Amino acid sequence: MFVARSALFATDRKKTERLMQRLNFLIYKDFLLLIRDKAGLCMMFLMPMLLVVIMTYLQDSTFNVLHETRIPLLLLNQDEDSLGLAIERQIEASGIFSVTKETAGEAELVRAVSQGKSMIGIVIPENATNQIRKNVKRYVIGAFNGTAIASSGDSVQINIYIDPTAKSSFRNTLMSTLREYAVRIESDFLFKEITAEVDKLSPMPIADIQLSKNQVVFNEQYAMTDKSKTIPNSTQHNVPAWSLFAIFFITISLAGNIIKEREEGSFTRLLTTSCPYYLYLLSKTFVYMAVCLLQFAAIFLMGIYLFPLLGLPSLTVGTQYHLLLLMGICSALSAIGYGIAIGKIATSHQQASIFASISTVIMAAIGGIWIPVFAMPRPMQLLSAASPLNWGLEGFYDLLIRDGGFLDILPECIAAVAFAAACVYIAILYHQKKRVDL
Amino acid sequence: MQPAAIEIKDLSKTYKGNTFPAVSHFSLIISQGEILGLLGPNGAGKTTLIHILCGLRSFKEGEVNICGYSLQHQLREIKSLIGVVPQDIALYPALTAYENLKVFGGIMGLKGAELKNRIDELLVFFRLEQSKHRRIEHFSGGMKRRINLIAGLLHRPKILFLDEPTVGVDVQSKTLILENLKEINREGSTLVYTSHYMEEAESLCTQVAFIDEGKLICLGTPEELIKNEAGGACSSLEALYLQLTGKKLRD
């Protein structure tokens, strides 16, 4: 009995050693093929790093544009009285706009904005101040007489023209900023005019009442747990997002590598040896896993050390390195599995590269890489839950921004690994089907 | 009589979507130590038969035993006993000759000094020792063919399948390949070989099998076939080939 069991163990050990040896040679081969492909290496390392820098820089600039860059504004003030001057003063004092006064008229202002010479144009109509004064007087007298006057619809209309090339998100931000100033100017002006009218009618003057302008103060801050010290910024958002996007682009290289081996005939030779197909896939997984993790490391290190030199916020990775590694491995597995399935099913290099690149862009789009998932329409939000890039992104956000732990990223890790397993299973089924059917 | 290296019994294979079988009720016994030439026009079923024997294609009808192992049930055991030299150059162009051989030898189970010595021995045997550190993509057609052959020989296979191993090479390379194949056969390997070169087959093979439309037409030594087939009217294997398979083009 003991002898039989020892013999069995010895056979198993020998078998494992043989498999390990084959795997080592396959890894050696895949590693050599990878490092000999200089263009592929460049695509896998330099391009993603460049992409992350550019996208973070762009997003950071857009984020700061209202605070750091002055937006060109054309102002046609036809009122030249208190309201017009108040608006002019407030806009100039805001520090957001670079104001140029237009004198040639509204048509000229519209033309200039439409031609992109200015991002925004504001036209304050003639007699705007007088019109408001008249309205205020009517309301105040009516109030003192006890006869409330309904809104007569003769309000002052200030026309705002926006460059038609401005994106809707930028236009919304701009309009929201302008509205904020308009409300402030309107309330200041109305308060002053009402006070003046009341003073004329009332024996007890009220002009000395000093009302604080900020009766309601909004204290805006990111919702973070006490232990979290990470301040969300464009780097924290963009580095994981675009790293994932870049990592999924290894599918092109991986699928291409599989197809090339098939076309060159070397895969056929491998099939004639006693090397199991799963070892062939395992070797690819190891080599491309190393590539993905190096990509992650390179991009994250760039976020930590290079970004501050470029004037961008530095990436804060916290202390949960093991969880970051786990999330990286799971995301890489989903990309590798996807690449293996494409490489097995696609019939040509061209077909694989087109399909891999377009499908990665689609998965990135629905996965929230470009637009946050919450800002998407409901059907797209449902779809995004099926994108491996979304799982990776949510996992990294859990770790880098929300200061989450293992249990927070566990669902995303399980989803990514299940996706990888499903893709590899499809590849193996397809491989077997090919052998039987053809 | 030598024991059988390969026994094929009533083998049939029809590709999906085709109405005609690529191999039809094919039976053949190849003895150990033979050099069997599988000859036939394009589309006759030679490559399909070789692919089935190498385990690259499955089959549902018939039975094949290689060195006593069932092809359908003991494929892994069979794969360690056979060597394959495919018709196309099955190598990694970006790797050097030595790296290619190291990878394939390692996958076939060789390692360490044994692997290195075997590679060096075969490189010398095929006169490629000077080029071993050059990448395959820079090799001439004849050199690629020789490395392609070496890759199938590394693990000293008992049976070597060669699918048109001399196609597209110059006379010098062809002569060297054929001489070396005879030497390998003398060392004990059984060779199963396909070719369109009748003279080559006549000089190399100990047995020749003519195949057409997936069926075995005739089998014997080249001399026997020339003497006995077609009423002894043919003076060469090529003439007999044309007599048996006709002059109609096969595409």
Side-chain angles (χ1 to χ4, degrees):
Chain A
M1 182 77 174
F2 176 74
V3 175
R5 193 176 291 171
S6 300
L8 201 66
F9 279 136
T11 314
D12 281 351
R13 207 180 62 209
K14 217 172 167 184
K15 201 174 163 186
T16 311
E17 275 173 14
R18 264 205 309 271
L19 287 176
M20 284 309 293
Q21 186 197 327
R22 287 188 177 121
L23 182 61
N24 286 342
F25 278 102
L26 285 168
I27 290 173
Y28 168 72
K29 175 261 299 176
D30 281 322
F31 174 72
L32 286 178
L33 290 177
L34 190 77
I35 60 165
R36 300 269 160 89
D37 180 12
K38 300 283 185 286
L41 278 179
C42 179
M43 195 184 85
M44 282 189 284
F45 284 96
L46 291 181
M47 296 288 279
M49 289 166 86
L50 200 65
L51 179 75
V52 173
V53 172
I54 291 171
M55 295 312 294
T56 310
Y57 202 76
L58 282 175
Q59 298 245 340
D60 196 59
S61 314
T62 313
F63 182 74
N64 290 329
V65 74
L66 290 177
H67 304 286
E68 292 172 6
T69 315
R70 284 170 182 252
I71 300 161
L73 181 146
L74 271 180
L75 180 67
L76 176 59
N77 183 2
Q78 295 171 320
D79 179 44
E80 297 293 347
D81 202 342
S82 307
L83 178 67
L85 291 172
I87 292 172
E88 214 176 301
R89 251 195 331 271
Q90 281 279 2
I91 288 174
E92 277 173 349
S94 71
I96 295 172
F97 303 102
S98 161
V99 182
T100 308
K101 286 184 187 170
E102 175 62 56
T103 50
E106 190 162 352
E108 192 53 41
L109 179 139
V110 172
R111 191 177 302 120
V113 174
S114 72
Q115 288 171 351
K117 289 175 184 165
S118 189
M119 187 61 82
I120 191 163
I122 297 178
V123 179
I124 305 166
E126 276 181 77
N127 294 321
T129 308
N130 275 338
Q131 182 63 46
I132 289 180
R133 276 190 187 132
K134 260 191 242 170
N135 292 346
V136 168
K137 197 172 183 174
R138 267 189 14 244
Y139 291 134
V140 172
I141 290 168
F144 269 88
N145 292 341
T147 52
I149 295 168
S151 176
S152 56
D154 47 5
S155 52
V156 172
Q157 184 176 305
I158 295 174
N159 289 335
I160 299 171
Y161 298 96
I162 295 173
D163 183 347
T165 62
K167 284 192 174 177
S168 58
S169 55
F170 181 75
R171 198 185 64 212
N172 291 341
T173 314
L174 202 63
M175 285 309 296
S176 134
T177 311
L178 276 173
R179 263 184 223 114
E180 191 187 323
Y181 282 105
V183 168
R184 201 180 296 167
I185 293 165
E186 191 183 16
S187 58
D188 279 358
F189 186 77
L190 285 176
F191 185 70
K192 206 179 281 177
E193 290 302 319
I194 291 167
T195 306
E197 283 303 318
V198 171
D199 277 351
K200 284 180 202 167
L201 299 171
S202 166
M204 199 170 80
I206 60 165
D208 291 332
I209 293 172
Q210 296 292 318
L211 278 178
S212 166
K213 283 179 182 171
N214 299 314
Q215 292 294 314
V216 179
V217 177
F218 292 97
N219 179 21
E220 179 189 310
Q221 55 187 301
Y222 287 108
M224 294 188 292
T225 54
D226 289 344
K227 54 182 176 172
S228 169
K229 291 181 177 62
T230 312
I231 305 297
N233 54 42
S234 56
T235 300
Q236 297 297 117
H237 282 111
N238 281 293
V239 168
W242 294 103
S243 302
L244 280 166
F245 183 65
I247 277 151
F248 261 78
F249 264 89
I250 66 138
T251 50
I252 301 172
S253 169
L254 175 54
N257 178 296
I258 291 171
I259 290 167
K260 203 171 172 190
E261 274 189 274
R262 208 165 59 215
E263 285 176 349
E264 283 168 352
S266 35
F267 178 67
T268 306
R269 187 186 287 284
L270 287 176
L271 291 179
T272 64
T273 69
S274 46
C275 173
Y277 181 59
Y278 71 83
L279 272 191
Y280 168 81
L281 297 182
L282 205 57
S283 158
K284 302 257 177 245
T285 305
F286 276 122
V287 171
Y288 279 87
M289 174 61 73
V291 170
C292 289
L293 293 181
L294 279 174
Q295 280 180 321
F296 266 123
I299 295 171
F300 273 50
L301 286 172
M302 197 174 68
I304 296 167
Y305 297 108
L306 183 70
F307 276 20
L309 302 176
L310 298 172
L312 294 166
S314 174
L315 178 73
T316 310
V317 289
T319 53
Q320 303 189 95
Y321 302 117
H322 58 296
L323 294 183
L324 281 173
L325 181 67
L326 176 67
M327 199 63 237
I329 288 173
C330 293
S331 303
L333 275 177
S334 58
I336 292 165
Y338 190 54
I340 285 173
I342 293 175
K344 190 68 214 176
I345 295 166
T347 52
S348 71
H349 201 288
Q350 210 176 12
Q351 196 185 66
S353 53
I354 291 171
F355 182 79
S357 50
I358 292 177
S359 59
T360 298
V361 169
I362 291 170
M363 286 195 293
I366 62 170
I369 301 289
W370 292 323
I371 301 164
V373 175
F374 70 83
M376 293 178 185
R378 184 74 187 141
M380 295 305 287
Q381 285 186 10
L382 292 173
L383 259 182
S384 87
S387 166
L389 276 98
N390 180 258
W391 307 329
L393 191 62
E394 287 300 318
F396 276 112
Y397 280 174
D398 279 343
L399 296 173
L400 292 174
I401 298 173
R402 299 185 191 115
D403 204 43
F406 175 69
L407 289 178
D408 296 302
I409 63 166
L410 191 60
E412 284 91 3
C413 289
I414 291 171
V417 173
F419 176 77
C423 287
V424 171
Y425 183 63
I426 289 168
I428 291 172
L429 277 186
Y430 197 78
H431 172 74
Q432 286 170 347
K433 187 175 180 292
K434 275 282 199 193
R435 189 176 163 268
V436 173
D437 286 351
L438 292 178
Chain B
M1 190 172 168
Q2 288 282 351
I6 302 171
E7 286 178 87
I8 307 168
K9 287 179 202 163
D10 206 24
L11 176 71
S12 290
K13 166 84 184 175
T14 305
Y15 287 113
K16 199 177 180 185
N18 283 10
T19 46
F20 292 101
V23 176
S24 174
H25 302 288
F26 196 98
S27 296
L28 179 68
I29 294 175
I30 305 165
S31 303
Q32 278 181 17
E34 294 275 11
I35 303 180
L36 177 86
L38 285 172
L39 308 180
N42 290 332
K46 305 185 296 291
T47 300
T48 300
L49 186 60
I50 293 265
H51 279 188
I52 290 173
L53 297 178
C54 299
L56 290 171
R57 295 274 178 263
S58 64
F59 62 97
K60 285 174 186 160
E61 292 172 54
E63 195 184 328
V64 178
N65 290 305
I66 295 178
C67 298
Y69 293 108
S70 161
L71 187 59
Q72 274 174 309
H73 305 112
Q74 292 162 297
L75 185 58
R76 191 153 292 171
E77 286 81 356
I78 288 172
K79 279 184 173 179
S80 62
L81 299 173
I82 62 168
V84 182
V85 181
Q87 188 175 338
D88 298 317
I89 305 295
L91 300 165
Y92 293 100
L95 269 54
T96 66
Y98 191 84
E99 287 164 348
N100 264 288
L101 298 175
K102 189 176 167 184
V103 167
F104 289 120
I107 290 168
M108 286 159 183
L110 304 178
K111 59 182 172 182
E114 186 194 9
L115 174 61
K116 188 184 175 302
N117 293 340
R118 181 66 176 154
I119 293 172
D120 289 337
E121 178 194 335
L122 285 169
L123 285 170
V124 171
F125 192 48
F126 281 91
R127 296 182 209 162
L128 284 165
E129 68 274 24
Q130 302 293 325
S131 309
K132 67 178 180 182
H133 294 306
R134 277 172 63 197
R135 290 193 193 181
I136 296 296
E137 61 198 359
H138 301 135
F139 273 29
S140 69
M143 290 163 88
K144 283 180 189 169
R145 282 269 158 220
R146 280 183 275 159
I147 293 289
N148 200 33
L149 215 159
I150 294 174
L153 287 168
L154 284 163
H155 59 305
R156 301 176 200 274
K158 286 193 171 175
I159 300 168
L160 184 63
F161 294 100
L162 304 116
D163 198 359
E164 301 188 38
T166 57
V167 72
V169 300
D170 60 23
V171 179
Q172 286 85 353
S173 284
K174 188 190 282 186
T175 309
L176 178 72
I177 289 171
L178 295 177
E179 280 173 6
N180 286 351
L181 286 178
K182 283 178 188 169
E183 181 60 34
I184 290 158
N185 175 248
R186 273 195 291 274
E187 286 172 6
S189 291
T190 304
L191 270 54
V192 178
Y193 149 98
T194 75
S195 180
H196 288 294
Y197 303 123
M198 297 300 139
E199 275 184 38
E200 190 182 296
E202 207 170 328
S203 74
L204 181 70
C205 300
T206 54
Q207 288 276 315
V208 165
F210 279 109
I211 307 178
D212 200 10
E213 293 174 347
K215 292 176 184 152
L216 179 67
I217 300 175
C218 59
L219 173 74
T221 65
E223 297 77 21
E224 280 171 1
L225 290 177
I226 291 166
K227 194 177 163 188
N228 301 332
E229 292 296 321
C234 301
S235 58
S236 67
L237 216 51
E238 187 161 332
L240 179 64
Y241 173 87
L242 286 171
Q243 182 73 33
L244 293 173
T245 60
K247 290 186 179 176
K248 194 180 159 196
L249 286 176
R250 310 293 183 86
D251 293 313

